Amino acid sequence: MPELVRYDVRDRVAILTVDNPPVNALGPGVLEAIEAAVARVCADPGVDAMVLIGAGSTFIAGADIRIFGTLKTREQSLARSEGTHARLLRIEEATKPVVAAIHGNALGGGLEVAMACHYRVIAPDASVGQPEVTLGIIPGAGGTQRLPRLCGADLAIEMCTGGKPVPAARALSAGIVDLVAGANLLDDAVAFARAKAAAGETRKTRALVEKIADRSAGVAACAAARTTLAKTSRGLQAPLKAVDAIEAAFTLDFAAGSARERDLFAGCVTSTECRALVHMFFAEREAAKVPDVPKDTPVTPIVRAAVIGAGTMGGGIAMAYANVGIPVLLKDVDDGAVQRGLATIRRNYESSVAKGRMTSEALQRTLALITPTTTYDGFEDVDIVVEAAFEDMALKRVIFADLGRITKASCILASNTSSLDIDEFARASGRPGQVIGHHFFSPANVMKLLEIVRGRETSRETIATSLAVAKRLGKVGVVVGNCFAFVANRMLAYYMREALLLLEEGATVPQIDGALTAFGMPVGPFGMQDIAGIDVGWRIRQFLKSIGKTRAEGPQSAVPDRLYEMGRYGQKTGAGWYRYEPGSRERIHDPLVDQIAAEEAAKRGVTRRQVDDDEIVARIMTALTNEGARVLEEGYATRASDIDVVYCHGFGYPRHVGGPMFYADTVGLPTVLARIKEYRERHGNYWKPAGLLEKLAAEGRGFNG
Ligand code: T1G
């Protein structure tokens, strides 16, 4: 059994090093070992004080998240929390100064352990945080009671409801920590501990009352937070529970407030919201692991990049590279096109400056990294090219043939195509090992997903480099196979099919979008198409027709084509599925669209009827999941959780629902299967359950185990 807490003594100060790689999570035995080490110091006549520090790159990054899955009942959770609270009280009761030395991150239970220590010394580049709400829970080890005692209501509420870490300097000014160390954290923490011992000082955070003395101010801050969260939390429960717990710090004594926290925590940790968010936490990390691409696969360093196509996507991709300091060539067919692209990029940065998210110096610095061009000059020196030209196979074949000839052998040749065959580009380039899909989502400089599409001959090094590029760009990379429209858009076609059919059956555009946004989607299917452009969808349908394909099996609604023929492309033309007043993005219901839907329904012999919101959500989500199951059984996705990551980071699918595959598991696959069979009866044979879904339902299993 590795030693979880090492015990060393330097000049009468004990150094207690928590060593539980990779992030010193409070896994089984860790807190017990810390408590035992503290007790040992108190009994050790040769020691006057102690410093608690983490081994490796960070302090304690919280409870071991894998434990939550084992807490099935409130009682189990309460029993566990009571044990944790008692241990922290005993650490706080230490008769000799306990100083936490924080480097990297002190997060969740890690910060709670640090706050049970008497003092905290932090490295200048470290941070502290209570990110529990990102896991659907609240701080459960006294954080909602000790944190307000250190920093007051406002910051405690901000930290516990937003989950974002706070940097060292702010933690100091707020009173969460006592000292920001110089270059050597441990030396400074030991000196700090020795000074406290010399002064005979210890300090129990729970006994601090100054910042919680103004009870009505604390209660008022909580009330204000509830009002804000009612608008911003998009159905998340945990932030509201965190406020309830913090309020108890102002209305109850420490013991009663702690009991209230434990009770609220128990309610959260057994919730579906928590299960979904914990699923997403690990799903995002699993997505970076590709079974046949070992962790130590060589990665090509990306020093310079190039983007072909200065349109909406190309411009956003160039920004994504420049934003992380990578110089990028931005090429388009003529100067007019490239200057238009550059003007859009400048406008985007200027709006960031206007919103205070960027300084004008940073704007100049970042913009200077983007070099507009109409030739391939300089392409021989770049390490990666992302092709984001018009979605036309013939054009892309020419581009990849050029790139195969011009760029250096190690250069990654990526395409931002959202649906075309990567192997075709590979053949055209003559360097299939370097060719890969890098499918960004609009706006490319904002959306976190990078759908990485491996071709038949894409090399492991190219895949590993693509995952590293995703991390460098601050994106979540998911590797998928090269089927038509890959994973994201292939499944989306079924999502859209049901939305269109429900429209013809009698639902309205705002009703369908409303049902999906109530479910947690950031925007409904029709609002999304109006942003992306109805003309983009039309062009893809024309291309498909030219190769005898449709986007999704089943009836094809003609309504979007009718809107296209009327020149209604969406926001950019002032009308699409909705109408828009000039200069406004507010969606206005247009009964003309309902009329067109009714006409098309009549042509297809569809009887219109009342459709309720539950049916809308059930049909659309079932179609999405069923196609996801096909993607899995055909091997175009490595695991179901990858699909969940694609949807949460590509389309804003609510993380607290867990993604389409996890959601199906929470509904229950037998129920999902029964729905498909019912729809098949009512709507047609195009509703065919995926084999994998039938198999898992029969075996009583889910997509995610
Ligand atoms: N528990 C278990 N495993 C964890 C973990 C944790 N808390 N944190 C990280 N890992 C694993 C992760 O799955 C990955 O594994 C490896 O460590 C490296 O992580 C009582 C109840 C610390 C900022 O929410 O935010 O405390 O994939 O890839 O990018 O009130 O990890 O290699 O097998 O993310 O350098 C609160 C979660 C818990 C922090 C480092 N704490 N962690 O980022 O590495 S709830 C958190 C992070 C709690 C208390 C409550 C990040 C990081 P693998 P990584 P990184």
Side-chain angles (χ1 to χ4, degrees):
M1 176 73 174
E3 207 182 359
L4 292 170
V5 176
R6 289 199 301 277
Y7 190 102
D8 305 291
V9 177
R10 185 205 285 185
D11 307 338
R12 302 190 60 80
V13 174
I15 298 164
L16 314 178
T17 306
V18 180
D19 193 357
N20 185 30
V23 294
N24 297 323
L26 295 169
V30 176
L31 192 54
E32 293 81 347
I34 294 172
E35 185 201 352
V38 170
R40 179 177 167 192
V41 172
C42 294
D44 185 339
V47 176
D48 304 326
M50 65 199 101
V51 169
L52 182 69
I53 192 163
S57 65
T58 185
F59 188 72
I60 300 165
D64 188 327
I65 298 169
R66 289 165 296 196
I67 288 169
F68 302 157
T70 65
L71 301 173
K72 305 284 184 212
T73 65
R74 293 177 61 80
E75 292 63 37
Q76 281 175 333
S77 170
L78 287 169
R80 189 183 171 78
S81 302
E82 274 150 21
T84 302
H85 279 233
R87 288 187 198 290
L88 293 179
L89 280 175
R90 288 194 287 272
I91 290 170
E92 196 170 44
E93 279 302 318
T95 53
K96 297 177 182 176
V98 190
V99 176
I102 300 169
H103 70 301
N105 298 286
L107 300 175
L111 177 56
E112 290 167 301
V113 168
M115 292 192 289
C117 295
H118 299 145
Y119 306 100
R120 287 147 295 283
V121 175
I122 190 167
D125 58 354
S127 61
V128 299
Q130 302 279 188
E132 284 87 346
V133 284
T134 65
L135 298 164
I137 53 174
I138 67 171
T144 65
Q145 304 307 302
R146 287 193 172 90
L147 188 60
R149 282 170 164 78
L150 289 174
C151 67
D154 294 340
L155 182 54
I157 289 169
E158 178 194 323
M159 290 174 69
C160 295
T161 59
K164 295 216 170 28
V166 165
R170 188 172 179 209
L172 178 70
S173 58
I176 299 172
V177 301
D178 302 284
L179 175 70
V180 174
N184 190 311
L185 170 69
L186 185 53
D187 287 358
D188 291 356
V190 167
F192 188 95
R194 189 174 301 117
K196 289 301 175 189
E201 286 175 19
T202 60
R203 185 187 64 188
K204 297 179 181 55
T205 306
R206 74 170 185 275
L208 302 175
V209 291
E210 184 210 335
K211 297 211 173 147
I212 57 166
D214 188 340
R215 178 188 167 119
S216 55
V219 170
C222 291
R226 289 191 188 94
T227 310
T228 310
L229 287 169
K231 292 186 231 112
T232 59
S233 66
R234 286 184 57 201
L236 270 179
Q237 288 309 302
L240 293 162
K241 302 295 179 197
V243 173
D244 294 347
I246 289 169
E247 187 172 49
F250 291 85
T251 57
L252 303 171
D253 66 18
F254 185 82
S258 299
R260 176 97 174 105
E261 177 195 280
R262 291 194 295 269
D263 190 52
L264 290 161
F265 179 87
C268 290
V269 81
T270 49
S271 69
T272 304
E273 176 179 309
C274 173
R275 285 196 305 114
L277 288 166
V278 168
H279 163 71
M280 285 309 297
F281 177 86
F282 288 114
E284 284 149 1
R285 283 152 183 82
E286 282 306 297
K289 300 167 189 164
V290 179
D292 65 336
V293 180
K295 220 175 175 177
D296 58 1
T297 302
V299 162
T300 305
I302 304 297
V303 178
R304 264 180 288 282
V307 174
I308 296 179
T312 312
M313 290 309 292
I317 296 167
M319 289 175 74
Y321 276 88
N323 290 352
V324 295
I326 299 175
V328 54
L329 298 170
L330 180 59
K331 178 182 185 298
D332 211 314
V333 286
D334 60 44
D335 202 45
V338 83
Q339 289 308 330
R340 277 193 300 281
L342 210 56
T344 307
I345 291 172
R346 174 182 287 280
R347 270 199 307 281
N348 288 337
Y349 282 136
E350 281 164 353
S351 96
S352 297
V353 171
K355 292 179 190 140
R357 291 200 201 117
M358 188 182 207
T359 64
S360 31
E361 294 71 44
L363 180 152
Q364 295 310 334
R365 209 176 36 250
T366 313
L367 211 48
L369 290 170
I370 302 175
T371 307
T373 177
T374 57
T375 71
Y376 280 124
D377 294 352
F379 273 61
E380 65 282 1
D381 297 327
V382 301
D383 305 296
I384 184 167
V385 180
V386 184
E387 168 277 314
F390 209 56
E391 281 286 67
D392 177 85
M393 182 54 90
L395 170 64
K396 292 186 193 266
R397 280 203 198 98
V398 171
I399 291 172
F400 275 84
D402 289 345
L403 293 176
R405 225 182 27 256
I406 292 162
T407 57
K408 58 187 176 186
S410 64
C411 182
I412 305 289
L413 306 179
S415 171
N416 178 56
T417 179
S418 61
S419 54
L420 299 180
D421 184 352
I422 300 293
D423 291 331
E424 282 289 328
F425 309 157
R427 263 190 294 282
S429 76
R431 300 205 342 243
Q434 305 300 113
V435 174
I436 193 160
H438 280 192
H439 180 206
F440 289 76
F441 287 73
S442 185
N445 55 312
V446 177
M447 294 304 283
K448 285 203 69 164
L449 179 67
L450 183 63
E451 190 177 33
I452 298 169
V453 186
R454 63 186 299 172
R456 202 172 299 114
E457 297 179 60
T458 303
S459 72
R460 290 194 177 89
E461 291 74 15
T462 300
I463 296 170
T465 301
S466 298
L467 285 164
V469 165
K471 195 160 187 177
R472 176 101 180 267
L473 298 181
K475 310 267 182 211
V476 177
V478 179
V479 178
V480 301
N482 180 30
C483 56
F484 180 74
F486 321 131
V487 170
N489 284 344
R490 172 177 164 176
M491 290 170 63
L492 192 71
Y494 290 79
Y495 176 96
M496 278 314 297
R497 179 197 72 192
E498 285 312 299
L500 290 165
L501 296 179
L502 285 155
L503 182 67
E504 290 193 5
E505 289 165 37
T508 65
V509 166
Q511 182 196 5
I512 294 169
D513 278 3
L516 271 294
T517 49
F519 176 84
M521 297 300 286
V523 60
F526 298 112
M528 179 171 69
Q529 272 209 343
D530 269 2
I531 296 168
I534 291 173
D535 53 325
V536 176
W538 182 85
R539 267 199 296 278
I540 292 175
R541 282 192 300 282
Q542 301 321 301
F543 168 71
L544 291 175
K545 275 192 199 131
S546 72
I547 58 172
K549 276 195 175 180
T550 56
R551 295 206 76 176
E553 289 138 28
Q556 305 295 311
S557 167
V559 178
D561 287 351
R562 299 250 325 245
L563 295 181
Y564 174 80
E565 284 138 20
M566 297 162 70
R568 296 174 65 113
Y569 300 168
Q571 278 182 357
K572 57 186 159 190
T573 56
W577 291 104
Y578 294 93
R579 247 181 353 90
Y580 302 85
E581 293 300 338
S584 160
R585 291 196 171 161
E586 193 206 332
R587 300 184 185 103
I588 303 165
H589 180 194
D590 191 340
L592 174 62
V593 176
D594 303 338
Q595 183 198 321
I596 294 169
E599 290 164 8
E600 291 304 321
K603 285 184 199 157
R604 284 198 314 111
V606 171
T607 313
R608 289 171 63 80
R609 58 186 173 85
Q610 272 310 107
V611 179
D612 68 29
D613 290 4
D614 290 348
E615 179 185 354
I616 290 170
V617 171
R619 272 192 34 201
I620 290 178
M621 290 304 166
T622 302
L624 193 63
T625 297
N626 193 41
E627 191 58 19
R630 284 213 190 93
V631 164
L632 268 175
E633 69 191 14
E634 292 167 19
Y636 290 111
T638 305
R639 50 187 85 85
S641 62
D642 285 2
I643 297 176
D644 291 330
V645 172
V646 162
Y647 265 75
C648 290
H649 289 287
F651 300 104
Y653 191 105
R655 291 179 89 254
H656 64 272
V657 177
M661 308 315 280
F662 184 86
Y663 175 64
D665 288 347
T666 56
V667 170
L669 298 193
T671 304
V672 174
L673 185 57
R675 282 181 182 161
I676 293 173
K677 291 182 173 161
E678 179 207 329
Y679 299 152
R680 189 177 170 84
E681 285 298 307
R682 276 175 47 198
H683 303 292
N685 288 343
Y686 60 89
W687 274 101
K688 282 196 289 302
L692 177 65
L693 176 57
E694 288 184 300
K695 177 174 176 295
L696 292 172
E699 294 166 3
R701 291 168 52 209
F703 288 116
N704 292 282

